[in-house]
Amino acid sequence: MNRLSIQRPFPRWGWFIVLAALLSVYGCGDDGPTGSGSYQYAVPQQTGDGWTTGDAVDHGIDLGPVGALFDRIRVGLYENTHAVLIVRNGVLVIEEYFSGSSIELGTRDWDRDMLHDLHSVTKSFNSALIGIAIDQGLIGSVDDKISAYLPEYADEFADSPKDSIQVKHLLAMTAGLFWDEWTYPYTDPRNTHVAMNRSSDPVKYVIGLPMETSPGETFVYNSGLSITLGRILHNASGLRPDEFAAAYLFGPLGINETYWWRYPNGTVQTGGGLFLRPRDMAKLGQLYLNGGRWGDQQLISHAWVNESVEQHAPDQGYGYQWWLETFAVNGQVVDSYSANGRGGQYIFVFPGLELVAVFTAGNDDVRALAPFDMLERFLLPAVLTG
């Protein structure tokens, strides 16, 4: 993969400031529990949900660093962590849940059966749906103009440079439309995302914004583009995105418990409105690691998976609604791609390690980046030395 210097998905600080903040919160690598504490490993339960479970040691994972991490979580050093799951070689080998507060639901004891708000992890699921629609011929290609799929907004495209926006520009967040989702918190009406939420038609609001750059020139994180992709999928397929997902993604993956909220006008929130169990989050990561295959079914073309996790934003490590990350662990460079969501929701895929890692949490501040620290200091070393 072609990777630039990555901006971590917590945009209000530079990464070095964030790293310093994380170190001040979580301390240095040699403090805190060391793995000789109270943690007792147990093989995840086999529940009939499509996962094969197995022993982490049998899949090359050193339980020493794993135990040190979970001891730290249980004494509050990674507060508001809700779940950590690890899949190795296609087998679910680590599954732990904790007590913690969430942004919306307050404090609770989390478990495998609870649906969790994925926030912007939703975007990566939506990208998979767009890929399936392209595979089925419902959407011609990523080079198609979005105006061809949004006839109800024809006036916005007429005699406008907006008519040059293509599907790929929405996927890579390079549409060129004005947007500012990162300067102000999601509680502030000056946040463009908040203004969109308050509009009567979120897609019309997004498309109605002025152009700032030519499409394809600049990455601007824009959840409105993801919601617009959902409308394109709806118009192209005749099914709402949640219905399309149930038929062509969730159903085949054995994902039976879901919630996906909609705006009052019926628009599905494909930028951040999906709720799933952490085990089912991990299925998307494994599906992509398998090149779009689940069991004996090719749910998404291998070509789409590969294209989605290549860099498409010229100035950011970002593919088609997937972040591209590089970790440095014990002198080794480890490539990954990930689905990231507000509050600390993540699906990480490490192709070179046959590894998927899932995190859920409830941290609406710098602590949302805690999984990067957990991976770099504990989980990746456990795999690389196991």
Side-chain angles (χ1 to χ4, degrees), residues 86-326:
I86 299 294
V87 179
R88 186 85 196 277
N89 304 321
V91 177
L92 179 63
V93 294
I94 293 173
E95 180 184 28
E96 298 291 343
Y97 298 90
F98 309 93
S99 177
S101 65
S102 71
I103 295 170
E104 298 88 359
L105 301 176
T107 301
R108 56 183 56 201
D109 294 326
W110 296 89
D111 63 45
R112 70 168 56 90
D113 296 320
M114 290 182 179
L115 298 180
H116 204 286
D117 189 346
L118 306 194
H119 293 284
S120 288
V121 169
T122 303
K123 293 176 172 67
S124 301
F125 280 90
N126 191 44
S127 175
L129 300 181
I130 294 295
I132 293 170
I134 290 174
D135 291 341
Q136 294 180 358
L138 300 172
I139 296 173
S141 80
V142 296
D143 296 318
D144 287 357
K145 293 181 178 181
I146 66 171
S147 58
Y149 298 95
L150 299 169
E152 63 269 49
Y153 305 112
D155 290 348
E156 294 291 346
F157 297 105
D159 301 318
S160 169
K162 296 177 187 178
D163 193 45
S164 63
I165 300 174
Q166 299 170 314
V167 173
K168 64 185 178 184
H169 299 134
L170 304 193
L171 287 163
M173 295 203 180
T174 59
L177 293 165
F178 167 77
W179 195 265
D180 186 0
E181 189 171 338
W182 279 353
T183 300
Y184 305 103
Y186 287 107
T187 55
D188 192 313
R190 292 172 293 179
N191 185 313
T192 319
H193 192 290
V194 176
M196 174 192 67
N197 285 345
R198 295 180 176 182
S199 69
S200 59
D201 182 344
V203 175
K204 182 176 178 60
Y205 178 86
V206 173
I207 297 173
L209 291 170
M211 296 288 289
E212 286 200 318
T213 63
S214 296
E217 282 189 359
T218 305
F219 174 91
V220 175
Y221 189 80
N222 182 340
S223 293
L225 300 181
S226 305
I227 293 167
T228 304
L229 282 168
R231 177 64 63 83
I232 288 172
L233 176 65
H234 188 175
N235 287 353
S237 69
L239 297 173
R240 294 194 318 259
D242 53 343
E243 297 171 327
F244 191 88
Y248 300 110
L249 184 63
F250 295 163
L253 287 175
I255 298 176
N256 302 313
E257 297 293 330
T258 70
Y259 173 73
W260 207 332
W261 70 268
R262 290 175 282 175
Y263 288 94
N265 75 339
T267 299
V268 178
Q269 219 293 26
T270 49
L274 180 60
F275 290 67
L276 292 178
R277 303 182 313 149
R279 277 187 170 217
D280 292 332
M281 294 170 65
K283 290 178 180 179
L284 184 70
Q286 189 63 43
L287 177 68
Y288 270 63
L289 186 56
N290 292 346
R293 192 170 186 84
W294 185 261
D296 60 356
Q297 298 183 74
Q298 190 73 37
L299 303 185
I300 311 173
S301 68
H302 199 286
W304 178 258
V305 170
N306 286 344
E307 186 176 358
S308 298
V309 298
E310 289 293 329
Q311 184 170 317
H312 294 288
D315 53 347
Q316 179 62 270
Y318 199 75
Y320 286 161
Q321 310 278 280
W322 288 89
W323 293 89
L324 312 180
E325 300 283 350
T326 299

Side-chain angles (χ1 to χ4, degrees), residues 4 34 50 52 73 77 106 131 134 208 238 290 319 340:
L4 298 178
T34 62
T52 298
I73 293 174
L77 292 178
I134 290 174
N290 292 346
N340 303 347

